């Protein structure tokens, strides 16, 4: 570990931050709505619905007033479809593997915390950015999803870091709120599911536009 580095632990959001998962998520939402006789959504709508976990994605996607049984059926359709198709069109954003390699080689503990279901989160990390994370976790029993700070606090405990040694990197207002709730710094990226103006309106302190800028913001004094 370089003693001049500000952070000892960097926690990344996954969808919209490291991986462009929008097309696969949209296709699975479209399938779930169609299979259950519900009105379709546009990709732009689905993009705005992302960030609060898969159940909330479906809750926002189904028409207002949908009965609970139909919403649950749509969620199950989505989960079954996405489990099979989550790698069809997903890919890292430009420069992400190289940026993560720079960060990891510096000696920083690198982690992922996602509101995506844990099996898919771990699977996608292992597939697209293998060997670049010390830990990766998605939504699972026992730890509330973001913006609860519990996931961040658990990762900090495992890495033995304090809040001032920890950075959270994400692409949405959920990530900004998560970092605030955990008492850690937040770096926002604008290539994912929210635009720069939306991020600053949500309280972002710094927004970067490329993976190289992201790595520089983490590594340079």
């Amino acid at each position: 570990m370089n003693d001049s580095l500000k952070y000892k632990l960097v926690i990344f959001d996954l969808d919209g931050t490291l991986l462009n998962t929008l097309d696969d998520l949209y296709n699975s939402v479209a399938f779930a709505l169609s299979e259950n006789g519900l009105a379709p959504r546009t990709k732009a709508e689905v993009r705005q619905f992302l960030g609060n976990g898969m159940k909330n994605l479906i809750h926002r996607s189904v028409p207002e007033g949908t009965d609970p049984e139909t919403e649950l059926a749509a969620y199950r359709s989505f989960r079954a479809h996405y489990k099979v198709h989550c790698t069809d069109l997903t890919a890292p954003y430009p420069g992400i593997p190289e940026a993560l390699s720079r960060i990891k080689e510096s000696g920083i503990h690198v982690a992922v915390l996602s509101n995506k279901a844990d099996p898919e989160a771990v699977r996608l990390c292992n597939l697209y950015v293998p060997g670049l994370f010390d830990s990766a976790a998605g939504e699972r029993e026992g730890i509330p999803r973001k913006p609860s700070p519990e996931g961040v606090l658990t990762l900090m405990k495992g890495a033995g870091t304090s809040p001032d040694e920890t950075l959270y990197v994400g692409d949405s207002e959920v990530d900004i709120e998560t970092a605030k709730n955990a008492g850690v710094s937040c770096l926002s990226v604008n290539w994912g599911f929210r635009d720069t103006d939306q991020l600053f309106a949500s309280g972002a302190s710094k927004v970067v536009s490329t993976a190289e800028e992201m790595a520089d913001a983490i590594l340079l004094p």
Side-chain angles (χ1 to χ4, degrees):
M1 171 79 70
N2 185 337
D3 290 338
S4 67
L5 292 172
K6 182 175 182 180
Y7 303 109
K8 295 182 179 179
L9 168 64
V10 178
I11 305 169
F12 291 91
D13 172 55
L14 186 61
D15 296 56
T17 300
L18 302 179
L19 301 181
N20 187 350
T21 57
L22 178 58
D23 287 340
D24 286 332
L25 288 165
Y26 170 72
N27 288 341
S28 290
V29 169
F31 172 83
L33 296 176
S34 176
E35 187 172 66
N36 290 278
L38 301 171
R41 291 288 191 173
T42 66
K43 189 181 293 186
E45 287 176 319
V46 171
R47 179 176 181 255
Q48 291 301 312
F49 295 157
L50 291 164
N52 285 98
M54 301 295 97
K55 286 187 177 179
N56 273 301
L57 170 61
I58 296 304
H59 178 69
R60 294 171 176 176
S61 297
V62 300
E64 187 175 351
T66 298
D67 64 88
E69 292 79 9
T70 301
E71 183 174 324
L72 179 59
Y75 173 70
R76 288 173 174 166
S77 296
F78 169 84
R79 291 285 290 117
H81 188 272
Y82 190 67
K83 184 176 181 179
V84 175
H85 295 281
C86 66
T87 62
D88 288 0
L89 300 170
T90 288
Y93 287 101
I96 286 296
E98 294 82 2
L100 291 176
S101 293
R102 278 183 62 196
I103 295 164
K104 186 171 178 61
E105 287 168 3
S106 75
I108 291 174
H109 189 101
V110 183
V112 162
L113 180 63
S114 173
N115 274 346
K116 182 187 291 296
D118 188 69
E120 282 85 8
V122 174
R123 176 184 174 193
L124 292 178
C125 284
N126 290 337
L127 181 62
Y128 293 110
V129 281
L132 294 180
F133 294 99
D134 298 292
S135 54
E139 185 177 1
R140 59 207 188 281
E141 292 293 329
I143 297 183
R145 66 175 178 270
K146 301 179 294 181
S148 165
E150 290 305 312
V152 172
L153 297 177
T154 298
L155 289 168
M156 287 169 55
K157 183 177 180 180
T161 60
S162 61
D164 62 346
E165 297 171 328
T166 303
L167 176 71
Y168 195 92
V169 182
D171 72 303
S172 77
E173 70 282 355
V174 176
D175 301 309
I176 295 167
E177 188 176 353
T178 301
K180 181 180 179 180
N181 290 342
V184 304
S185 298
C186 184
L187 176 66
S188 299
V189 305
N190 67 2
W191 54 74
F193 301 153
R194 303 292 187 270
D195 300 324
T196 300
D197 290 346
Q198 290 177 290
L199 291 167
F200 279 125
S202 297
S205 56
K206 183 177 179 63
V207 179
V208 295
S209 300
T210 68
E212 184 177 8
E213 287 179 11
M214 178 186 75
D216 286 347
I218 293 168
L219 295 171
L220 299 182

